Amino acid sequence: MSTRRRFIAILPLAGVSVLAACGEKAAPTAPAPAPMPAPAPAEVATPAAATATAVGPLVDPVDPAAVALGYVADASTAKDPKHVVGAACGNCALFAGKAADASGPCPLFPGKQVSTKGWCTAYAKKS
C-alpha cells in the first residue's frame, strides 16, 4: 500500500475527515454524546424507602420538636391524657422501623431515631 493511501486510510481513525485532508471543507462533526447514567434502583427511588433505611441518633426528649409533640422515650411514663395503654411508636402508623427493633426512623423527626417503646401526641394506630 502506498504511503498516501495508507495516510488516507488512517485519517478517519485520527478523527480527521478525508475531505479536509484533500483541502475541501468538511462538515464539522459533533462529539460523541456522553453515556447516560444508569437509572436508580426502584427500592431507592421513593422517599419512604430512603427514610426507612436512614440511621441517626435517638431523639432527645428535651429537643424542641420532641417537647412540642410530647415525645417520651418510654410510653409507660407518658403523662399526656391522649395516651392510651399499649400505644407506642412501634405500633404507630408513622413509625418506619420494624416493631422488633429497639428504635427506628419517624418522619416527624428527620434524621433521628425514635424508641420503639416511645410515644408522642401524633400517635396513630397502625391498621
Side-chain angles (χ1 to χ4, degrees):
M1 182 183 259
S2 74
T3 307
R4 181 176 176 173
R5 286 186 186 196
R6 185 165 182 243
F7 178 74
I8 291 172
I10 63 170
L11 281 177
L13 299 175
V16 178
S17 168
V18 174
L19 293 176
C22 294
E24 297 179 25
K25 291 189 178 184
T29 57
M36 297 294 291
E43 65 270 7
V44 180
T46 61
T51 303
T53 60
V55 177
L58 284 174
V59 173
D60 187 349
V62 296
D63 181 272
V67 171
L69 289 169
Y71 174 79
V72 291
D74 184 358
S76 66
T77 64
K79 305 218 185 293
D80 194 287
K82 295 178 185 176
H83 180 261
V84 294
V85 176
C89 293
N91 59 21
C92 176
L94 297 172
F95 186 68
K98 296 176 184 163
D101 295 341
S103 63
C106 176
L108 300 176
F109 304 102
K112 296 183 181 176
Q113 302 269 322
V114 294
S115 170
T116 304
K117 296 178 182 179
W119 179 86
C120 79
T121 57
Y123 173 82
K125 186 176 181 178
K126 264 186 191 170
S127 338

